[in-house]
Amino acid sequence: MILLARRTSETQKTLEVIVRRLPVTHSEYSNYCEHVRRLKAGFAGEQRVDAEWLELDLPSPYYFLHDFQTMNDFGSTHQMDTIFLCRQFLLILEIKNITGILSYDALFAQFTRTTGEGNLEGMTDPFLQLERHVVWMKRLLQREHFHLPVLHAVVLATKNGILSEGFQGQPIFHVTGLRVHLQKWLDLHQPVETEKLFRFARVLMSMHKKVKRAVKVPFEDMVKGVICPKCANGQPMSYSYKKWHCPRCGLVDRDALKRDLEDYRLLVGPKLTNKSFREFFAIDSPNVAYKLLQQLPLKAEGSKKHREYWMME
């Protein structure tokens, strides 16, 4: 049973909006594009591993929590790609979708890769990340008076990540090896009571809280207005006769504003005023802005100049 489904992160959505609204000539445009590319690759890798789970014969009951996020007592965050709970153990997975020749030096906790072009790149040590999560999870289990082995592993989502000898003895394998490792772990550990397992899964769900990553938003340089979904390079649309028109491709769309309201939420937040609405969507008239705001699925508070609008979840 999937208790927590995997979804596109708010960070990726925000960066995609920035790329859509930022001129290609902007000095940071390529950096934002590269960030989006990496996030998409990571998400695709996670989906590849999710698909592998579907082909496995899993012991019932079992629970999945994908992209679990929480904060510990010290104010630091924990983000785990996948938590798998079954009666025999709890498994934490760190999923990597990276290519090239991968190397690891345990003495220096140094994880590197050599790309196809021969470039050497340093990367965050995933084993230290996992060990930190394991310590937190064991403390939580102890607090809940629940005894369950905590396992962890790094899973490579692509066969194009070549592991070198430095990884010997480390909990890392390609996604196709998940079946073998899962069976080995199941044979090694004895099952616990079903009721206790579900109770602990509910504890984890109650602790899940999305961690919002800070993204630098270049508001001053971004294209304002309602953006044409067909044209590239952030082509603004014009509004007349209750419709949005694209002057470049001729697209006519009544719902363009409702769609781009998500852009506002990601870049600014859930609260709007007549002024902030006009500034973001490049609307000159306060009266036109007021009429448009009345048509949107928003919750209004206050009156006249002090009126605020909130996006409903």
Side-chain angles (χ1 to χ4, degrees), residues 255-275:
D255 299 321
L257 178 59
K258 290 181 180 179
R259 184 175 54 252
D260 275 18
L261 196 62
E262 176 70 358
D263 290 10
Y264 183 100
R265 183 189 71 81
L266 289 166
L267 299 179
V268 182
K271 185 181 80 170
L272 304 92
T273 63
N274 189 292
K275 181 181 178 181

Side-chain angles (χ1 to χ4, degrees), residues 34 37-38 97-105 109-126 167:
E34 175 61 17
R37 186 197 67 78
R38 292 191 178 190
N97 191 17
I98 49 180
T99 61
I101 300 175
L102 310 180
S103 303
Y104 184 66
D105 188 324
Q110 184 170 274
F111 187 97
T112 60
R113 77 159 176 167
T114 303
T115 66
E117 295 75 29
N119 299 321
L120 183 64
E121 299 178 353
M123 310 187 79
T124 303
D125 186 337
F167 287 100

